[in-house]
Amino acid sequence: MIKPIELVIFDCDGVLIDSERIAARVQVTLGAELGWPLTENEVVDRFIGRSHAAIHEQVADRLGPDTAAVWSQRFEELHREAVDAELAPIDGLPEALDALTLPTCVASSGSHDKMRHTLGRTGLYERFAGRIFSSTEVSRGKPAPDLFLHAAQQMGVDPEACVVVEDSQPGVRAAGMRVFGYAGGLAPAERLEGHDTVVFYDMRKLPALIAGLRPPLN
């Protein structure tokens, strides 16, 4: 028997805040500067949805640990500058949050410092304060399911009673729960498809989509 939904777990980048476009642009710039030319599509395939540690490992394998360290430092600097200048919530996200009646939390590959900054810049941090979980808290980041399972455990909800809102292929693969794949960002819709996954394009429609999975009260 399918359990009623008790918790909505949001990814952060590309789901709550329109930051993946910024991150992809910065990664393309760094690749050109440091010797690994990448297109935006290649960045989406390799980096988007993955933890800082996983990206660092890829760069180190390709360019060596010293260059990877420079890459990581430069990314933090350039990303922060761009976030301060142009970051905004995902279109329709505030309205969706206002309409949701279920408990919510955040489970992101980003660090807590990064989320304090990005969610803070967009006025969203206080909406999730105390319910924000990072891949730094688990041994394996996405596409392993550890982070989402950790979030469910910390919120006291059975994983089978959770839904995840994701915008990346690694995130969809990681969930192991019912998933809503947000295709309004960089990842092509077909990469978000999967078992127990509903692909959607307009964040304003999320509350109704979630309500459609909930059994009637009588």
Side-chain angles (χ1 to χ4, degrees):
M1 181 177 178
I2 297 176
K3 290 192 175 184
I5 298 168
E6 299 176 20
L7 176 67
V8 183
I9 304 176
F10 286 93
D11 178 40
C12 182
D13 294 298
V15 170
L16 298 179
I17 51 177
D18 196 9
S19 55
E20 297 291 41
R21 300 179 199 278
I22 294 173
R25 187 178 73 231
V26 171
Q27 298 287 22
V28 169
T29 298
L30 290 174
E33 288 181 2
L34 298 175
W36 188 4
L38 292 162
T39 66
E40 183 179 271
N41 285 339
E42 288 172 330
V43 168
V44 171
D45 286 342
R46 291 179 174 275
F47 297 161
I48 297 302
R50 300 185 185 275
S51 67
H52 173 81
I55 296 171
H56 182 91
E57 183 178 354
Q58 288 190 58
V59 177
D61 287 344
R62 178 84 177 215
L63 302 175
D66 291 342
T67 301
V70 173
W71 186 303
S72 295
Q73 181 179 352
R74 290 280 291 142
F75 178 83
E76 293 296 330
E77 294 168 354
L78 295 175
H79 186 267
R80 180 173 285 267
E81 290 173 4
V83 162
D84 287 343
E86 60 190 273
L87 186 64
I90 289 293
D91 183 45
L93 187 277
E95 298 95 316
L97 291 179
D98 288 343
L100 280 173
T101 58
L102 289 165
T104 60
C105 69
V106 179
S108 171
S109 293
S111 68
H112 281 287
D113 285 344
K114 177 184 175 183
M115 287 186 280
R116 270 191 293 269
H117 182 226
T118 56
L119 293 176
R121 292 292 301 181
T122 52
L124 294 172
Y125 187 81
E126 290 304 320
R127 299 189 78 150
F128 293 99
R131 309 187 315 280
I132 299 174
F133 308 101
S134 165
S135 63
T136 59
E137 300 171 45
V138 296
S139 59
R140 300 180 302 167
K142 303 171 189 177
D146 302 32
L147 177 58
F148 291 124
L149 294 174
H150 172 69
Q153 181 183 49
Q154 293 299 306
M155 294 294 292
V157 177
D158 189 310
E160 294 182 4
C162 299
V163 291
V164 170
V165 186
E166 261 287 355
D167 73 315
S168 71
Q169 188 178 51
V172 169
R173 287 170 55 200
M177 305 171 182
R178 286 169 284 182
V179 181
F180 289 95
Y182 176 63
L186 293 179
E190 60 269 19
R191 296 185 189 174
L192 303 178
E193 295 172 352
H195 181 64
D196 282 339
T197 301
V198 175
V199 177
F200 72 109
Y201 295 84
D202 185 346
M203 194 59 73
R204 295 175 185 85
K205 296 182 178 179
L206 179 63
L209 290 171
I210 292 175
L213 293 183
R214 300 175 69 185
L217 296 178
N218 53 14

